[in-house]
Amino acid sequence: YNSIVENNISAYALYGSGARTFNYDNVYNATGYGYGGSITAGSNSISSGSNFVSVTCDGSAGNDNFSLRSGSASINAGDPSGAFNDTDGSRNDMGPQGGPEGGWN
């Protein structure tokens, strides 16, 4: 729920066996294959890239900024249930900084 999976290099962003539907998620792969195997997107899922401010993919999370870029499709796109609201009370953002435990940098 409310997750972002963004991949630019492999065949699928998510691949698995066993029927599973992901809802209120953003799964994006620049090669065009978001879901594979028996994993499918739910009706409230999106597929949009360039979500984060700065991710280097160099193996060190210390120099990455997982804040959402201004204009990201993942802003206010998470589950609309009040239990998932962001710390400011608005509809939650997808990704690691959204929801009631989000807001960290």
Side-chain angles (χ1 to χ4, degrees), residues 1-2 14 19-27 34-35 38-47 77 94:
Y1 248 39
N2 305 320
L14 288 177
R20 179 163 303 262
T21 300
F22 284 76
N23 286 305
Y24 296 105
D25 293 297
N26 184 346
V27 176
Y35 299 88
S38 58
I39 297 176
T40 58
S43 60
N44 298 301
S45 293
I46 60 174
S47 181
M94 294 175 176

Side-chain angles (χ1 to χ4, degrees), residues 27-96:
V27 176
Y28 175 79
N29 188 330
T31 64
Y33 299 102
Y35 299 88
S38 58
I39 297 176
T40 58
S43 60
N44 298 301
S45 293
I46 60 174
S47 181
S48 177
S50 299
N51 291 285
F52 304 113
V53 169
S54 173
V55 180
T56 60
C57 297
D58 64 0
S60 174
N63 60 355
D64 296 329
N65 183 341
F66 288 98
S67 298
L68 294 177
R69 288 180 188 252
S70 176
S72 168
S74 295
I75 295 173
N76 296 327
D79 189 317
S81 170
F84 295 103
N85 280 354
D86 284 342
T87 56
D88 66 2
S90 65
R91 180 174 172 176
N92 74 319
D93 300 331
M94 294 175 176

Side-chain angles (χ1 to χ4, degrees), residues 5-23:
V5 177
E6 191 168 337
N7 183 8
N8 293 322
I9 56 174
S10 69
Y12 296 98
L14 288 177
Y15 187 93
S17 60
R20 179 163 303 262
T21 300
F22 284 76
N23 286 305

